[in-house]
Amino acid sequence: MSVILEVTIRHARREDVGVIVAMLADDPLGGARERIETPLPQRYFTAFETVDRDRNIQLVVAEDGEGAVVGCLQLCILPGLSSQGASRGLIEDVRVASRCRSRGIGEQMVQWAVVEARAKGCKLVELLTHHTRVDAQRFYERLGFARSHVGMTLRI
Amino acid sequence: MSVILEVTIRHARREDVGVIVAMLADDPLGGARERIETPLPQRYFTAFETVDRDRNIQLVVAEDGEGAVVGCLQLCILPGLSSQGASRGLIEDVRVASRCRSRGIGEQMVQWAVVEARAKGCKLVELLTHHTRVDAQRFYERLGFARSHVGMTLRI
């Protein structure tokens, strides 16, 4: 790892949508899924508004010292009956701007999510990572996550 | 598979909490996590009320012809920016009463969830299943799910 880049984690705002989508698109899997156009397709803003209204979901960004957005993460608090009615925290859409990788930004965001999930009463934090993202799996293992489950998906 | 047991899928009610928790507890992993007492710990009812209030979460049960609850499933609709702002459906806590297994109840519940997720605009349905639940993985593969992801968890 190079020198750590200290970031501030804050809630995403409407004006962050463009840079978030650019980060989502900037990897081999995301590139095929997103549409980077000017202007950005309206559906991204519609989705942002849905997320923003949802009390159980927090879409956050990591901001560097100059106020540039260099990472994003979505945390969803999922209530449920199992494990004696304990909520679970689901981490999704973790991305770090390619120019800033390996500088501890992902770790700061995930640690934020763990603290936040605990504060919301969660006993477990979980995530799915594509089986080809071997570096991501190693990263999460370093943070204490176990490869305990199989993540299964169905495109519909 | 034995003879198919046709079930009705309906939203769970407060009076179903006991039988749902009994199903959650009735397997090697769940048995260690739940507390089956009379009366049932209040936290299960509190969790039910939280789930019941959440517009994005549907806790459903499968009811047989006599009105007995023989299965449960929780579906959460997760909005997000990725995949062009498409929502995802997350399936959790799928259980079938042990006396009724291998009669197509799980399949009817999962198919209900897929139809419901599609109706809510989801492009993807996902789930985590413990790596030891090999039969469950085979079951989901038979329904078209791919073992595309690694499910990682952290107890907090």
Side-chain angles (χ1 to χ4, degrees):
Chain A
M1 198 180 290
S2 341
V3 179
I4 296 292
L5 179 61
E6 295 277 350
V7 290
T8 308
I9 314 293
R10 64 161 174 81
H11 284 124
R13 298 187 287 252
R14 198 174 196 281
E15 59 264 33
D16 301 318
V17 170
V19 61
I20 293 172
V21 174
M23 288 190 291
L24 292 173
D26 185 23
D27 88 9
L29 292 170
R33 285 195 297 243
E34 308 305 338
R35 269 180 64 193
I36 304 292
E37 293 165 9
T38 310
L40 206 61
Q42 178 58 34
R43 64 184 75 127
Y44 285 114
F45 295 99
T46 307
F48 173 78
E49 280 148 25
T50 307
V51 166
D52 199 42
R53 268 196 309 268
D54 195 316
R55 316 179 42 235
N56 288 331
I57 302 182
Q58 296 184 73
L59 174 62
V60 296
V61 294
E63 212 177 65
D64 70 10
E66 269 100 59
V69 168
V70 293
C72 62
L73 176 151
Q74 186 164 307
L75 173 67
C76 185
I77 306 296
L78 299 161
L81 267 58
S82 67
S83 295
Q84 301 185 41
S87 290
R88 278 164 279 204
L90 176 71
I91 294 178
E92 298 177 282
D93 294 342
V94 181
R95 293 290 189 285
V96 172
S98 51
R99 69 182 188 285
C100 301
R101 286 183 193 151
S102 303
R103 297 191 61 189
I105 297 168
E107 178 164 347
Q108 291 171 74
M109 292 194 300
V110 172
Q111 298 293 22
W112 171 88
V114 168
V115 169
E116 180 65 22
R118 195 181 287 127
K120 291 274 164 71
C122 296
K123 301 282 183 227
L124 186 82
V125 176
E126 61 190 15
L127 58 91
L128 289 93
T129 173
H130 197 266
H131 70 91
T132 58
R133 296 195 195 272
V134 179
D135 288 351
Q137 289 147 34
R138 230 175 273 134
F139 162 76
Y140 289 115
E141 282 184 317
R142 193 163 57 72
L143 299 184
F145 284 78
R147 301 164 57 101
S148 53
H149 287 66
V150 177
M152 304 194 71
T153 55
L154 174 71
R155 300 224 156 254
I156 59 175
Chain B
M1 197 180 289
S2 342
V3 180
I4 296 292
L5 179 62
E6 296 277 350
V7 291
T8 307
I9 313 292
R10 64 160 174 83
H11 285 125
R13 298 187 287 252
R14 198 175 195 281
E15 58 264 33
D16 301 318
V17 170
V19 61
I20 293 172
V21 174
M23 288 190 290
L24 293 172
D26 184 22
D27 87 11
L29 292 170
R33 285 195 297 245
E34 308 306 337
R35 270 180 63 192
I36 303 292
E37 295 166 4
T38 309
L40 206 60
Q42 178 57 34
R43 63 184 75 126
Y44 285 114
F45 295 99
T46 306
F48 173 77
E49 281 149 24
T50 307
V51 165
D52 199 42
R53 269 197 308 268
D54 195 316
R55 314 179 43 235
N56 288 331
I57 302 182
Q58 295 184 75
L59 174 61
V60 296
V61 294
E63 209 177 68
D64 71 8
E66 270 102 58
V69 167
V70 293
C72 62
L73 175 151
Q74 186 163 307
L75 172 67
C76 184
I77 306 295
L78 299 161
L81 266 56
S82 68
S83 296
Q84 302 186 38
S87 290
R88 277 164 281 205
L90 176 71
I91 293 178
E92 298 178 281
D93 293 343
V94 181
R95 293 292 188 285
V96 172
S98 52
R99 70 184 188 285
C100 302
R101 284 182 195 152
S102 304
R103 298 192 60 189
I105 296 169
E107 179 165 347
Q108 291 172 73
M109 292 195 298
V110 172
Q111 299 294 22
W112 171 88
V114 169
V115 169
E116 180 65 22
R118 195 183 285 126
K120 291 274 163 70
C122 296
K123 301 284 184 222
L124 186 82
V125 175
E126 61 190 16
L127 58 91
L128 289 93
T129 173
H130 196 266
H131 70 92
T132 58
R133 296 196 195 272
V134 179
D135 287 350
Q137 289 147 35
R138 230 177 272 134
F139 162 75
Y140 289 114
E141 282 184 316
R142 193 163 56 73
L143 299 185
F145 284 77
R147 300 165 57 101
S148 53
H149 286 66
V150 178
M152 304 194 70
T153 55
L154 175 71
R155 301 225 155 253
I156 59 175

